[in-house]
Amino acid sequence: MIKILDWAKKYTSKSVVFLLGSLWLIFVLAPIYFMVLSSLRRQGTYVTANPWVPSGPLTLHQYYVVFHSGLGTYLVNSLLITAACIILSLALSLSASFRIIRGTSRFSKTSLRLIVFGLAIPIQAIIIPIYVIIDKLGLYDTLTALILVMTASAIPVSVLIMVSYVRDIPRELIDAMATDGANEWVIFRRLILPLSGPVLATVGIYNGINVWNNFLVPLVLTQSNSTAVLPLGLYKFQSQFGIDVPAVMAAVLLSAIPLLILYIGMRKQFIRGLSGIAMR
Amino acid sequence: MLGKSEYSLPPSIKKRNSRRGDLPKKVVGSYWKADLVGLMPTMALYVFLVLLPIVIAGLLSLYSWNGVGSLRFSGFANWDAFFHDPIAAHSLEVTIVLALVSWAIQTPISMALGFFIAGKQRYRTVYAALYLLPLLLSTVGIGLVWQALLDPNFGGLAWLAQNAGLSFLQQNWLGSNSLALWTIIVLIAWQFIPFHTLLYQMGRRQVPNVLYEAASIDGATKWKQFVHITLPQLRYTIVVSSTLMLVGSLTYFDMIYVLTDGGPGDTTRVLSLDMYQAAFVANTFGYASVLAVVLGVIGVVVALLLVRFTGFSSLSSQREGIA
């Protein structure tokens, strides 16, 4: 009897957990489902059709429309600055982390302190001076400005994660190479760099996602259509297409495809990169 | 502590022979030159575009400037205006409400979901993969999707209200004074809970199961296990997640800018939006810098307080380990 009660209790609590978990899943998926389905309608049918059931005529027409109204440019811009920021931030942060770990000069010792200081500063707090500096340099409304600013703001987190990684590379290895007559460049090139694959992947993905989705920096530092990146482009679409909701939904969906590919293709690294901050 | 093992070195450490031949001549020799090449560019960029702006923001708050003309020193006039500005006071209030309510909503849900997907059942692995989907969309994208969904005339919720009898869904979600802020809070939760779920999942998986087994042999209830094992063991995760949540929502900007632009009225006007408008709409850069400094100080103070109150010193030990 008691056994049956125990079993019933366990079974009920398991079902409750399953039910709650499923409810959350519905809450997560409903807007995404709504977006996908709406993007397959024409503007006319969108207002009349049931938005939750794939009935009536569905079409890829809207994808064609948005791709021919500038989404391609935004996509290329986004890919460009994301790639540039990833490469730059990785190169700058890894080399800096190596020099900080070597601690060979007073400069390299104080650098880490300066970098830790910048960690807690939100970008909103410094966006005005950044705008002023970029404007004075004549870089306003250029992709270069976006690359420089986003790379700089990625440095604190990147360096902190990399420093704790590079620190774990055995001292003896570095010393052994130095005794063998290798100079700092050779040590970096032949020891540090080959060993840093995992941390480069993590930080690279983390920085990449942040750059890809950043809205405030491009909003403040660019204005023309030719320099707009995806998040800004989506915002422009909204005013351009107004009530053509299917077109806007198609644009949102297209803009998420690169990350979706990344997520499906390399989920482990993607998740590790996302939670990069917490792992340090 | 968390995920340290993820960073362990690959087992095969290949030491290759060094060849002096492939070096740029300049670098050969002194450490000083190595620091110049390896560290200087990084620090230059960082100082120029992160540290210098902090200083400029502070200085600019003492000037009156419209962004194009000449700077005029005005002492603490901007600060004085800030302390007597009812709009700024209101923005500050909205910002704090948004941050605290977001934290109070997101933390328990993320924790529960994190524990849920930390389980090894197959269906939970599938759920876990799907739970993360919102992370693939940019804030603007999320804003646009929800805007269409919540549209009181043609949105998905309005359809359900009109055709499925769920009339409570017929609301002007983003356009009513009493609802807009709460709607924004729910959307922020939708966007960020997946990320924090991920953190709690990783945290929960690090807690050794032996602890629970021992406790249940001693007759500890589930609740007691949660209070005495789970919470203390997850201290690190809770601090990290809460810091990110609070600092994140204190500086929240994107979705509000896209969806409500502070409206209706000033009901969703947060400090970062106030700052953006003061600078780039009203061209009062001095006053906007006051708001920026306030934002920066709030962010830093919250981070420091959380670190202190929770007796959590990862940042300081990180530094100690190196210096």
Side-chain angles (χ1 to χ4, degrees), chain A residues 205-271:
Chain A
I205 290 174
Y206 178 76
N207 291 346
I209 294 171
N210 279 344
V211 173
W212 184 261
N213 285 336
N214 196 311
F215 177 67
L216 181 66
V217 174
L219 177 72
V220 171
L221 296 183
T222 63
Q223 61 173 8
S224 43
N225 280 334
S226 59
T227 52
V229 291
L230 269 176
L232 201 57
L234 288 180
Y235 181 63
K236 289 180 184 221
F237 265 140
Q238 187 203 21
S239 36
Q240 185 183 337
F241 286 107
I243 53 162
D244 190 355
V245 176
V248 175
M249 295 299 107
V252 173
L253 207 133
L254 280 175
S255 75
I257 281 180
L259 283 192
L260 186 68
I261 292 172
L262 198 66
Y263 183 58
I264 293 171
M266 38 199 293
R267 215 178 99 215
K268 270 223 170 92
Q269 286 95 324
F270 184 87
I271 287 174

Side-chain angles (χ1 to χ4, degrees), chain B residues 6-85:
Chain B
E6 312 269 356
Y7 280 132
S8 59
L9 293 163
S12 62
I13 297 170
K14 289 185 210 150
K15 186 172 156 248
R16 301 180 206 177
N17 292 324
S18 55
R19 278 176 293 124
R20 269 183 175 267
D22 60 357
L23 314 169
K25 253 209 178 107
K26 272 194 293 185
V27 197
V28 177
S30 87
Y31 289 139
W32 189 82
K33 277 183 189 162
D35 282 350
L36 196 71
V37 176
L39 192 55
M40 197 53 146
T42 316
M43 292 312 288
L45 187 67
Y46 170 73
V47 168
F48 197 61
L49 285 175
V50 177
L51 291 188
L52 182 65
I54 297 176
V55 178
I56 296 182
L59 286 177
L60 214 49
S61 75
L62 303 175
Y63 285 83
S64 168
W65 190 41
N66 66 5
V68 272
S70 56
L71 287 159
R72 197 162 44 78
F73 185 74
S74 59
F76 286 95
N78 289 323
W79 285 90
D80 193 53
F82 169 72
F83 286 114
H84 294 96
D85 180 358

